[in-house]
Amino acid sequence: QLPLAGSRLCLYEDGTELTESYFRALPPQTELVLLGPGESWRGCAGDIERLLAAFCSQQGAVVEAARRLLTDERAPHRQKLLADLIHNLSENILAEDKENDKKWFEGLETRFKNKSSYMRHSCESRMRGYMREVSGFISNVHPAARDAYRGIIDLMADKLKSVKYNGCYFDRREEEEAARLCTAEGWFSCQGPFDRDDCPCKHSINPYSNRESRILFSTWNLDHIIEKKRAVVPELAEAVKTRDGREVNWEYFYQLLFTLDNLKLVHIACHKKTNHNLSCDKTRIYRKRKQTHEIS
């Protein structure tokens, strides 16, 4: 049914066009595509594009077809691919309350009635942990500077309480505050190693989608670009010790420890655990005291 002129054979796998000598060198059972004039074939990537399009337009039908295939499939690798596909397409992202997605809450304390409340609590727990690390460093502070260091800890603790420990970062209902990390639907993207523009693996996750994603998200890290233990906290202790009448800019250190100015959400595989070799901005460690002028 195809005219001889302009028709050609390609490899199904990658779309490579075949010459006669290449054709004769192919192993038996190689899958080929016969193209007519003006037709093109990009290989199995084209199949993937059509499959992704089907996900968007016929998600229910794709899930049902995958379930039928899974009942007869015997190859372990293909079984896993089909099972993962069914799992991911059956997620319940938009459900927020416990009664609408009970499975998501399995294993959690009964006090959590919606997904955002748990995610907010999870973020608060991380921030409280950072605060405990800062407080616990006081034994390394020079004895003469410990009172001043405690005073800064109290200021930071009060500020954290006033913003509810930045729990809004992972609360999808707080769209404006959380927009720098995720969309309203709750998708989070890995921001990659600090010295690259983007995560090379394009890691992303939606912890609101299902129980497994919620658990997996707990392994993601909030990575301090300027490192908390190696740089920020020791620099704060040194600043308090050597302040010599100057006022320590504790709000700068607060930003480095507890805010997205210095925190990046990263997949555990992208967490750079080696020394970042970055230090605090020396020009921001102290700030000028506000002068009061007496009226004579």
Side-chain angles (χ1 to χ4, degrees), residues 91-146:
E91 54 195 15
N92 196 0
I93 293 175
L94 296 180
E96 170 69 11
D97 298 328
K98 188 172 184 177
E99 57 266 26
N100 296 323
D101 194 354
K102 293 182 179 179
K103 186 174 178 58
W104 193 92
F105 291 85
E106 289 181 2
L108 298 181
E109 297 177 36
T110 56
R111 63 190 174 104
F112 298 114
K113 304 302 181 183
N114 56 63
K115 295 179 181 180
S116 289
S117 66
Y118 172 76
M119 294 299 296
R120 188 168 58 249
H121 165 78
S122 179
C123 182
E124 290 174 4
S125 296
R126 297 191 192 203
M127 296 300 170
R128 290 175 189 272
Y130 298 158
M131 190 73 248
R132 284 193 296 270
E133 289 184 55
V134 178
S135 300
F137 195 80
I138 195 168
S139 60
N140 299 301
V141 177
H142 191 278
R146 287 177 182 173

Side-chain angles (χ1 to χ4, degrees), residues 23-40:
F23 175 80
R24 293 181 182 279
L26 292 175
Q29 310 305 319
T30 299
E31 292 183 88
L32 307 176
V33 177
L34 177 60
L35 300 174
E39 293 181 326
S40 62

Side-chain angles (χ1 to χ4, degrees), residues 271-282:
H271 189 189
K272 189 179 179 70
K273 296 183 182 297
T274 57
N275 196 328
H276 292 187
N277 294 317
L278 294 174
S279 58
C280 301
D281 183 349
K282 299 293 186 181

Side-chain angles (χ1 to χ4, degrees), residues 58-87:
Q58 304 178 51
Q59 182 168 318
V62 172
V63 171
E64 186 57 34
R67 286 195 174 116
R68 289 197 299 269
L69 288 172
L70 185 59
T71 58
D72 297 325
E73 185 57 61
R74 293 294 177 264
H77 184 63
R78 289 165 65 95
Q79 283 181 337
K80 185 179 187 306
L81 288 175
L82 287 168
D84 287 346
L85 174 63
I86 294 169
H87 169 76

Side-chain angles (χ1 to χ4, degrees), residues 241-271:
K241 174 187 172 184
T242 60
R243 66 190 187 281
D244 192 26
R246 294 172 292 182
E247 183 178 357
V248 175
N249 186 6
W250 67 268
E251 289 180 319
Y252 169 61
F253 289 98
Y254 174 91
Q255 290 172 351
L256 295 180
L257 290 166
F258 305 110
T259 77
L260 298 181
D261 289 350
N262 192 47
L263 282 169
K264 292 199 314 178
L265 186 65
V266 294
H267 187 281
I268 189 171
C270 292
H271 189 189

